[in-house]
Amino acid sequence: MAVDELQAIIQRCQILEEADFKGEDFNLFQVAGQKCLEDGYAAQLLEVIQNEKNKIIIKNMGWNLISPLVRCIFMYKQEDDKREHCLKILDQLAQLCNPKELFLGLLEQIEQTSGEQVCQTVMLLLQPLQTVLLKLQNRKAYSVGLSLAMIMNQLTPLPVPYTKQQIQEDKLGLCQCCNAVVDFAKPFVNEVVKNMEKSSEYNDMELKEELLKFCMKSLKYPLLTAQLEQLEGIEEHPFRHFATEIIDILWGIRELIPLVFLHRKGKSPHWENQEFADIERKNSADSLACLSYLMFVQHFGIDCFPVVFSPSYLLQCNMTHIEVLLKRTEESMLSKGLDLFESCLLRMEDNSLLHHYLEFRDFINIPQDLVKVMTLCPIEHLRKKSLNILQLLIDKFDAEGKYTLFRCLLKTSNHAGVEGYIIKNIKDQIHSSLMKACDNIWFTGHHLISLLDLVLLLPEGAETDLLQNSDRIMASLNLLRYLVIKDCECDNQVNVACFSNVVICDIESVEIASSSNGLRLKVQHLLSLISGWLFSSTEAHSSNTVCSVTVSAEKMPAMTTEMELQVLHSALFTFDLIESVLARVEELIEVKIKAVMDEN
């Protein structure tokens, strides 16, 4: 019988001194204890462990029971008395065993768990692990750091619940586990805070550094991935609670404000392997970006924040974090980047952001990242939001800043829709300049002429695909039409002498002439295609026929002939619109040139 075998081993070891225990004794105790647990004699095993006479034996050998004990706890149902006995055994082992040996046994058990049992195992062992760590005297900080790192490494592969339903269900227990880990760390945080309050020259930085590493890992996972907006129907959002606790730890160990502002001066660990150094740098950047999002968007810890910084300085500090987030493709991270950018811009007044900020690399790169989101992101609401934020950024710059940004985006966007949008903004700025009493040199006169050189340039000259670039072409022609009309009304504020002699002649001789000829050819070609579809009676053009389209080496869903006809009619309408505006522009230019010649 398992209990008899265990009693025999116990009686044998009771007469031995602690130093005389052999490896064989450890093995026999482990096998007998495991058999007791598996055969359902947990109550009898608990009595053996609680017996004062066996204290020395349990101190040295008890940690070997951790693995079979955990297996049995998960095997029994919640209401089973045997499970309750197993939990009491675990508590007794935490009190009686050698702290160093039990610490290694608990960590080994956490490391070996995987899949759906990760969170259950971690939550089960957190309390005994905390008890053991509090009893450790030597290398306590290292042991705390190792425990937290091991736990976070085990949790990181788990998917983070994102939707309201996923958070409420919490199938794997991650939400509950994360908050349990914070509770596990609190005694060690309190120890650091207490020591720092006692002495302003607190020198024992090791435990503080380990807690800081834990917070940085928590910011990257799960908080960077988690949905942190307040959700209706969830009274206490588990990840918002977790975020609050992490911010409180950072504030308590006096690292919150330095991380927000002084991270560029922080020491990073030295890695001989460059790959490890790059990973460490990326992880740190992700964590700091999440921290800024928590503070400036969700307002966690904002009460601790000094209200002395200008909105433009806060924007500058956050641009690095915004760039990190906008380069990600995951919805949760990309949306955080957009929210952080929007929050920083909304703090500023229109026209208050000086053009000098465009000398910083981030202020040039981030608008280009926004363009990529606008044009490449598959998520519609993020595309629309990025467009709104680009407009917000444009509104915040002063006149020279807007001018410089427009030039930059026209040269780098490589997207006709974006270029058309920028040209429309240029038109709005010109209109605004002409309506104001004070002169704006950046959107009138010679600066305007220089900008128009970019605006009215067809990307590939006479060979430009007019249909593909129709957004840019229409915006350019509308701007040109506006300039010719407005120049007559505004008493030559657009600098008509230069405008007439340089821009109009150049456009008329190169771009518009090419466009006109190209338009006529393309319209005739489209009409012939449509006629072919409509009147052909061959089987190849029947309504059931489909044609294949390949984009970037990927075959797209087949188009029916009706769909093709619809596309052709749409293209014809676009060309018709361009030709109409073009004709009006040519007419206005002729009238303007004639008026100038008559005047001369």
Side-chain angles (χ1 to χ4, degrees):
M1 187 176 174
V3 177
D4 295 335
E5 292 177 13
L6 179 64
Q7 289 290 0
I9 296 165
I10 291 293
Q11 289 173 6
R12 173 186 166 185
C13 292
Q14 280 178 343
I15 60 175
L16 297 175
E17 294 294 330
E18 186 175 350
D20 295 332
F21 291 153
K22 297 178 181 178
E24 181 185 359
D25 299 322
F26 285 86
N27 291 335
L28 290 171
F29 177 83
Q30 182 181 5
V31 171
Q34 180 174 336
K35 197 170 181 184
C36 285
L37 289 168
E38 291 173 349
D39 291 351
Y41 297 111
Q44 288 83 344
L45 179 59
L46 178 60
E47 289 179 7
V48 170
I49 291 173
Q50 289 176 330
N51 191 329
E52 191 69 23
K53 295 178 182 179
N54 304 328
K55 190 174 181 180
I56 300 300
I57 300 171
I58 301 304
K59 175 187 175 184
N60 289 275
M61 303 183 188
W63 66 273
N64 283 306
L65 297 176
I66 291 296
S67 182
L69 190 60
V70 170
R71 284 200 302 272
C72 288
I73 289 173
F74 290 138
M75 183 176 66
Y76 296 128
K77 293 182 179 179
Q78 198 76 23
E79 63 278 1
D80 199 320
D81 289 341
K82 293 175 183 177
R83 187 177 193 276
E84 190 63 32
H85 291 141
C86 289
L87 291 172
K88 288 181 179 179
I89 291 172
L90 182 61
D91 183 60
Q92 286 293 308
L93 293 179
Q95 300 297 331
L96 299 174
C97 288
N98 182 304
K100 182 180 177 182
E101 300 294 341
L102 186 58
F103 168 70
L104 294 175
L106 291 169
L107 275 195
E108 183 181 6
Q109 191 61 37
I110 291 173
E111 185 180 22
Q112 289 175 351
T113 189
S114 61
E116 296 182 0
Q117 283 198 332
V118 169
C119 291
Q120 296 177 42
T121 304
V122 169
M123 286 190 288
L124 174 66
L125 299 181
L126 279 177
Q127 186 57 54
L129 184 59
Q130 185 188 70
T131 302
V132 170
L133 287 170
L134 290 171
K135 292 165 68 175
L136 284 176
Q137 299 300 322
N138 298 323
R139 306 197 71 187
K140 180 178 180 180
Y142 170 78
S143 301
V144 171
L146 184 61
S147 302
L148 290 169
M150 179 72 71
I151 291 167
M152 295 307 294
N153 287 342
Q154 289 297 92
L155 295 180
T156 299
L158 301 179
V160 178
Y162 190 73
T163 65
K164 177 182 176 180
Q165 183 179 352
Q166 289 171 344
I167 292 171
Q168 288 176 323
E169 290 178 355
D170 192 21
K171 285 185 178 179
L172 298 178
L174 181 64
C175 300
Q176 186 180 355
C177 187
C178 286
N179 286 295
V181 174
V182 171
D183 292 336
F184 163 81
K186 280 183 179 179
F188 312 108
V189 175
N190 293 337
E191 181 180 330
V192 172
V193 172
K194 188 176 179 181
N195 289 333
M196 292 178 75
E197 288 174 350
K198 282 182 180 178
S199 171
S200 57
E201 298 179 0
Y202 175 61
N203 294 320
D204 185 12
M205 301 298 291
E206 193 176 352
L207 183 56
K208 178 181 174 180
E209 285 296 324
E210 296 298 343
L211 293 170
L212 179 57
K213 289 177 187 176
F214 163 66
C215 290
M216 293 293 280
K217 286 183 179 180
S218 299
L219 289 167
K220 180 174 173 58
Y221 177 93
L223 293 177
L224 185 60
T225 311
Q227 164 66 269
L228 293 169
E229 299 292 340
Q230 189 64 58
L231 299 174
E232 187 179 350
I234 300 181
E235 289 186 12
E236 187 171 19
H237 192 308
F239 288 125
R240 286 180 67 85
H241 180 264
F242 182 65
T244 302
E245 295 288 350
I246 294 299
I247 295 293
D248 286 346
I249 292 174
L250 289 172
W251 176 252
I253 64 176
R254 302 179 187 176
E255 288 293 334
L256 181 60
I257 302 302
L259 279 178
V260 174
F261 288 108
L262 305 179
H263 57 273
R264 295 182 181 84
K265 299 179 183 179
K267 294 186 296 181
S268 57
H270 176 70
W271 295 95
E272 293 183 3
N273 188 313
Q274 185 58 41
E275 185 178 351
F276 288 162
D278 292 340
I279 292 172
E280 176 68 27
R281 195 178 303 110
K282 181 180 180 300
N283 289 340
S284 177
D286 287 343
S287 299
L288 292 171
C290 183
L291 177 61
S292 283
Y293 170 82
L294 292 177
M295 287 204 69
F296 296 107
V297 179
Q298 296 298 334
H299 302 136
F300 291 116
I302 201 68
D303 294 340
C304 311
F305 193 75
V307 193
V308 294
F309 302 105
S310 68
S312 56
Y313 177 73
L314 292 178
L315 175 63
Q316 183 186 350
C317 289
N318 280 307
M319 287 300 264
T320 302
H321 308 314
I322 293 166
E323 185 176 16
V324 167
L325 294 171
L326 290 187
K327 289 191 183 299
R328 304 299 291 265
T329 55
E330 302 91 333
E331 179 182 1
S332 58
M333 302 179 197
L334 194 52
S335 64
K336 285 181 176 64
L338 293 173
D339 288 342
L340 180 57
F341 199 9
E342 182 181 44
S343 175
C344 292
L345 290 172
L346 288 174
R347 297 169 186 268
M348 306 182 66
E349 295 182 2
D350 288 352
N351 306 308
S352 64
L353 188 59
L354 301 178
H355 62 276
H356 302 299
Y357 283 96
L358 287 169
E359 296 173 7
F360 296 106
R361 178 185 60 84
D362 296 335
F363 280 84
I364 292 295
N365 290 346
I366 287 178
Q368 296 176 41
D369 291 334
L370 276 178
V371 168
K372 290 177 183 177
V373 178
M374 288 160 50
T375 56
L376 301 176
C377 179
I379 305 168
E380 183 181 4
H381 74 91
L382 294 183
R383 292 199 304 271
K384 290 180 178 179
K385 183 160 189 171
S386 62
L387 176 62
N388 294 335
I389 292 174
L390 178 62
Q391 185 60 58
L392 198 58
L393 176 64
I394 291 169
D395 293 341
K396 300 307 174 185
F397 271 110
D398 61 14
E400 186 175 350
K402 289 182 175 72
Y403 180 88
T404 307
L405 185 60
F406 291 155
R407 293 187 68 93
C408 172
L409 290 175
L410 284 173
K411 289 179 180 179
T412 61
S413 64
N414 297 317
H415 189 279
V418 176
E419 291 163 358
Y421 186 79
I422 296 302
I423 292 169
K424 178 183 176 299
N425 263 276
I426 292 172
K427 175 176 168 288
D428 293 340
Q429 291 303 314
I430 294 170
H431 178 75
S432 177
S433 299
L434 295 176
M435 294 299 102
K436 291 179 181 177
C438 57
D439 291 335
N440 183 344
I441 62 170
W442 294 101
F443 292 96
T444 57
H446 292 282
H447 286 110
L448 176 59
I449 301 300
S450 175
L451 188 58
L452 290 176
D453 286 340
L454 276 177
V455 170
L456 302 174
L457 180 70
L458 290 177
E460 297 172 24
E463 297 180 0
T464 298
D465 187 326
L466 300 182
L467 186 61
Q468 186 174 343
N469 289 276
S470 60
D471 287 338
R472 174 178 179 145
I473 292 168
M474 281 298 299
S476 300
L477 290 173
N478 279 324
L479 172 59
L480 189 55
R481 178 177 60 178
Y482 170 83
L483 287 172
V484 179
I485 294 172
K486 211 66 184 173
D487 191 65
C488 299
E489 299 176 2
C490 296
D491 193 23
N492 205 31
Q493 288 186 49
V494 188
N495 197 346
V496 72
C498 293
F499 181 74
S500 299
N501 297 330
V502 180
V503 180
I504 292 181
C505 293
D506 183 58
I507 294 167
E508 190 177 38
S509 61
V510 181
E511 307 293 5
I512 291 183
S514 303
S515 299
S516 299
N517 295 332
L519 269 173
R520 294 185 187 102
L521 289 173
K522 288 179 184 294
V523 169
Q524 290 172 8
H525 179 61
L526 281 173
L527 288 171
S528 66
L529 283 175
I530 292 172
S531 298
W533 287 117
L534 289 175
F535 298 110
S536 175
S537 58
T538 62
E539 186 178 348
H541 292 145
S542 68
S543 60
N544 296 324
T545 303
V546 296
C547 69
S548 63
V549 180
T550 302
V551 178
S552 299
E554 290 187 14
K555 194 171 182 180
M556 303 299 287
M559 291 176 64
T560 63
T561 52
E562 286 84 356
M563 292 169 68
E564 279 232 322
L565 267 176
Q566 196 173 11
V567 171
L568 291 172
H569 278 297
S570 176
L572 188 61
F573 175 76
T574 300
F575 286 141
D576 212 15
L577 197 59
I578 292 175
E579 191 170 28
S580 172
V581 178
L582 184 57
R584 177 60 177 153
V585 169
E586 287 177 326
E587 180 186 336
L588 289 169
I589 289 175
E590 288 175 8
V591 171
K592 187 67 183 175
I593 292 176
K594 186 175 183 300
V596 172
M597 291 175 65
D598 290 346
E599 188 177 319
N600 291 337

